[in-house]
């Protein structure tokens, strides 16, 4: 694979407000990328939001939820590297070029995880989400500490090894997918850079009571011995984070599109970053 090409899937349903910013962040990556917006018949506002972005392919059809929509997009995808980016998420500048370089230089890597920035509706900084290569036990019993907006897969994992998302989950499908991949022994790696922004607008499904219920249900499917050792997995994860210096993120800056500036990225400085994520669920 000399020059990886990307297929980015965006599941869409009545989020044109954010979709135009998401599409802009994919369009300016400077690499070959196929952006498939898999929309659940939202209406003409989606077409209008994507009008400035001829690279984006709109697939408007009824789906069975977010994970079914992503699967449908992946079935259409032609890129060597697959990812999904929700409507209210964005890639930071240079993300896909850096991801492509990592996959070129590390042919053994099957899945690549990167760091993300959590912001509010105005694009203002809330916290940093720096990640570690996930361990099966911690992911299954505790939580998935990576974000889907900063996760990238080699195409053969999905198209040849059939690691599709399971639509029976409404919120925890990404955790279920990673657990199945880890159990199968796929090779994971981390790209230590901020790749994406995740919007915490107070209504995210991933931060909702439904998400807690599904995470508990997923943990309940783990072997009993693994469940009994939950305090151990938590302690090990915290020690790993401490050892990698992730409890003290360094000052940085990021550039994103905002509703006030949909055509030009706006710069935000973060002189005092924090790892602590205080949920804004309404």
């Amino acid at each position: 694979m000399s020059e990886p090409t990307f297929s980015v899937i965006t599941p869409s349903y009545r989020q044109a407000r954010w979709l135009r910013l998401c599409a802009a962040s994919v369009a300016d990556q400077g690499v070959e990328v196929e952006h498939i917006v898999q929309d659940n018949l939202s209406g003409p506002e989606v077409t209008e939001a994507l009008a400035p972005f001829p690279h984006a392919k709109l697939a408007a059809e009824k789906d069975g939820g977010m994970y079914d929509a992503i699967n449908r997009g992946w079935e259409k995808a032609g890129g060597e590297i697959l990812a999904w980016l929700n409507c209210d998420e964005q890639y930071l500048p240079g993300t896909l070029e850096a991801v492509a370089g990592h996959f070129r230089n590390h042919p053994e890597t099957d899945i690549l995880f990167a760091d993300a920035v959590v912001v509010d509706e105005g694009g203002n900084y809330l916290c940093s989400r720096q990640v570690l290569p996930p361990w099966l036990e911690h992911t299954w019993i505790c939580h998935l500490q990576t974000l889907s907006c900063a996760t990238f897969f080699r195409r053969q994992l999905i198209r040849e090894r059939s690691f599709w998302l399971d639509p029976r989950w409404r919120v925890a499908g990404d955790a279920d997918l990673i657990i199945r991949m880890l159990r199968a022994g796929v090779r994971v790696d981390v790209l230590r850079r901020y790749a994406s922004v995740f919007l915490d607008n107070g209504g995210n499904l991933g931060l909702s009571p439904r998400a807690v219920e599904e995470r508990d249900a997923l943990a309940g499917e783990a072997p009993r011995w693994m469940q009994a050792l939950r305090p151990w997995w938590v302690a090990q994860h915290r020690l790993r984070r401490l050892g990698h210096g992730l409890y003290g993120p360094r000052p940085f800056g990021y550039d994103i599109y905002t509703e006030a500036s949909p055509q030009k990225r706006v710069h935000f400085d973060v002189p005092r970053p924090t790892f602590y994520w205080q949920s804004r669920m309404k």
Side-chain angles (χ1 to χ4, degrees):
M1 186 175 63
S2 58
E3 279 294 332
T5 56
F6 292 84
S7 290
V8 177
I9 312 304
T10 296
S12 165
Y13 183 61
R14 297 182 178 178
Q15 293 194 72
R17 171 188 178 187
W18 302 114
L19 178 59
R20 67 185 77 249
L21 307 183
C22 171
S25 80
V26 176
D28 71 358
Q29 286 296 307
V31 301
E32 184 179 351
V33 56
E34 173 187 50
H35 190 190
I36 300 174
V37 178
Q38 190 70 36
D39 180 66
N40 188 14
L41 305 178
S42 298
E45 64 270 18
V46 171
T47 303
E48 295 172 5
L50 295 177
F53 310 105
H55 75 287
K57 302 177 181 179
L58 176 60
E61 58 186 353
K62 188 68 177 174
D63 61 55
M66 176 175 65
Y67 298 125
D68 179 51
I70 296 166
N71 285 340
R72 288 168 180 263
W74 278 348
E75 287 177 344
K76 301 177 177 72
E80 294 296 328
I81 305 300
L82 303 185
W84 85 80
L85 191 68
N86 293 326
C87 289
D88 55 2
E89 299 166 342
Q90 297 182 40
Y91 286 138
L92 294 172
T95 287
L96 297 188
E97 182 177 10
V99 169
H102 190 96
F103 275 112
R104 277 198 305 272
N105 296 329
H106 298 83
E108 75 283 359
T109 299
D110 294 316
I111 314 173
L112 185 62
F113 301 98
D115 300 333
V117 182
V118 182
V119 303
D120 66 15
E121 291 185 339
N124 301 296
Y125 176 82
L126 294 177
C127 69
S128 298
R129 190 70 177 267
Q130 294 179 291
V131 300
L132 293 169
W135 283 1
L136 171 63
E137 296 85 357
H138 178 265
T139 303
W140 203 347
I141 298 302
C142 303
H143 67 95
L144 178 64
Q145 46 92 29
T146 60
L147 288 177
S148 61
C149 60
T151 302
F152 305 88
F153 308 89
R154 288 196 188 272
R155 181 185 181 187
Q156 60 261 33
L157 284 179
I158 288 88
R159 300 293 291 271
E160 297 176 15
R161 297 179 63 180
S162 295
F163 281 113
W164 302 95
L165 288 154
D166 187 344
R168 73 187 174 104
W169 303 103
R170 308 304 294 179
V171 184
D174 52 345
D176 169 72
L177 177 65
I178 298 303
I179 289 167
R180 286 186 280 122
M181 288 180 169
L182 292 175
R183 293 182 71 188
V186 301
R187 295 159 297 185
V188 305
D189 205 352
V190 162
L191 177 65
R192 183 59 69 216
R193 68 170 279 157
Y194 292 107
S196 311
V197 291
F198 176 94
L199 172 64
D200 181 356
N201 61 10
N204 306 80
L205 276 176
L207 304 174
S208 66
R210 175 67 180 267
V212 175
E213 292 175 5
E214 289 201 1
R215 280 196 293 269
D216 289 345
L218 193 58
E221 296 181 354
R224 290 189 179 276
W225 68 266
M226 196 180 290
Q227 297 181 46
L229 292 174
R230 186 180 188 279
W232 172 256
W233 311 131
V234 172
Q236 287 294 306
H237 179 68
R238 291 175 178 174
L239 286 172
R240 290 176 69 210
R241 288 187 60 83
L242 181 63
H244 284 80
L246 302 187
Y247 286 123
R250 297 179 178 179
F252 70 103
Y254 60 94
D255 298 270
I256 62 171
Y257 295 98
T258 66
E259 287 190 285
S261 181
Q263 298 178 335
K264 183 180 179 180
R265 289 183 183 265
V266 178
H267 182 75
F268 292 81
D269 281 315
V270 185
R272 293 183 294 277
T274 178
F275 72 91
Y276 181 65
W277 188 345
Q278 183 174 0
S279 174
R280 301 174 68 245
M281 279 302 299
K282 298 174 181 177

